[in-house]
């Protein structure tokens, strides 16, 4: 895992867009993002049990697996959105990026590779893309039935209860660490 400030330069979203300014694990934690390196599936099982995740599935995002819809799907995943549930991904192969909004509304890019596990809180604005290898295989974990319901950013979503709760929690954590 490597986290850094996104450079905001135009170009292919699948490129690194590395500004050269690193983001620490502490800063990710302040945003509510949790990271683990899990070389053994037993580590994933333990985290799932602790967080009361009962279901899981696997997704492969690649040109070979998705065919003609690949480019459209990657663009859809890159639309800024939030979820009303935590989003947990464990990378089984390949590489990809999750971008999350900071407290200042800037993008933090998180590069994930095999054995990386990330937990993003409900209500955080984020987006996803593969890297230029155009392949990622991930396990998705769910507290209840598997679902992926993105709520695309807009004024009405800023007023979503899960968004408001996330912002309050993030801001309280920021004040506590100052």
């Amino acid at each position: 895992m490597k986290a850094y400030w996104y450079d905001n330069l135009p170009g292919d979203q699948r490129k690194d867009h590395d500004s050269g300014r690193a983001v620490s694990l502490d800063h990710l934690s302040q945003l509510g993002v949790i990271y683990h390196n899990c070389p053994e599936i037993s580590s994933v099982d333990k985290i799932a049990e602790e967080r009361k995740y009962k279901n899981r599935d696997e997704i492969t995002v690649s040109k070979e697996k998705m065919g003609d819809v690949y480019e459209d799907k990657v663009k859809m995943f890159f639309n800024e959105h939030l979820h009303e549930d935590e989003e947990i991904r464990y990378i089984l192969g390949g590489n990809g990026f999750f971008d999350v909004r900071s407290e200042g509304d800037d993008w933090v890019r998180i590069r994930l590779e095999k054995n990386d596990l990330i937990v993003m809180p409900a209500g955080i604005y984020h987006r996803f893309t593969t890297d230029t290898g155009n392949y990622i295989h991930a396990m998705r974990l769910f507290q209840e039935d598997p679902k992926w319901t993105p709520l695309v950013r807009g004024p009405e979503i800023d007023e979503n209860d899960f968004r408001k709760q996330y912002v309050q929690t993030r801001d309280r954590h920021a004040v506590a660490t100052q």
Side-chain angles (χ1 to χ4, degrees):
M1 188 278 294
K2 179 180 178 182
Y4 51 88
W5 296 100
Y6 187 82
D7 67 12
N8 290 310
L9 296 175
D12 189 338
Q13 69 197 35
R14 293 170 276 206
K15 292 191 176 179
D16 286 346
H17 288 278
D18 189 342
S19 66
R21 298 179 300 137
V23 172
S24 69
L25 283 175
D26 283 343
H27 193 118
L28 289 178
S29 178
Q30 290 172 14
L31 297 175
V33 176
I34 301 166
Y35 168 77
H36 297 278
N37 182 271
C38 300
E40 304 294 329
I41 195 71
S42 59
S43 302
V44 176
D45 294 339
K46 183 178 178 203
I47 293 165
E49 183 179 336
E50 289 169 357
R51 300 187 78 81
K52 298 181 178 19
Y53 277 74
K54 298 179 228 155
N55 293 303
R56 57 183 76 184
D57 68 10
E58 293 182 18
I59 183 170
T60 300
V61 179
S62 71
K63 289 180 179 179
E64 292 74 26
K65 198 78 164 163
M66 301 175 100
D68 293 341
V69 301
Y70 172 76
E71 293 295 335
D72 289 338
K73 284 288 188 185
V74 169
K75 286 179 181 141
M76 181 189 74
F77 294 149
F78 202 63
N79 286 327
E80 183 174 2
H81 63 278
L82 62 78
H83 302 284
E84 293 182 340
D85 300 304
E86 281 186 340
E87 184 165 345
I88 297 185
R89 298 293 181 265
Y90 174 59
I91 309 306
L92 297 163
N95 303 293
F97 300 105
F98 276 98
D99 299 337
V100 297
R101 285 288 186 186
S102 72
E103 63 283 354
D105 213 32
D106 295 311
W107 286 115
V108 173
R109 176 153 271 200
I110 306 164
R111 179 180 177 79
L112 299 174
E113 57 190 31
K114 186 176 181 173
N115 298 330
D116 288 338
L117 183 143
I118 189 170
V119 181
M120 291 180 293
I124 191 170
Y125 283 124
H126 65 281
R127 61 190 184 187
F128 169 79
T129 189
T130 57
D131 69 1
T132 55
N134 293 308
Y135 172 82
I136 193 163
H137 180 201
M139 178 186 293
R140 306 184 303 174
L141 294 98
F142 305 93
Q143 289 177 333
E144 299 299 331
D145 292 329
K147 66 176 182 175
W148 187 82
T149 307
L151 302 175
V152 177
R153 187 172 186 174
E156 66 284 354
I157 300 302
D158 287 339
E159 296 303 316
N160 175 286
D161 287 340
F162 290 89
R163 175 64 185 168
K164 290 195 295 191
Q165 182 179 352
Y166 165 73
V167 170
Q168 288 173 350
T169 301
R170 181 199 65 203
D171 292 350
R172 271 197 311 270
H173 190 275
V175 168
T177 58
Q178 289 179 350

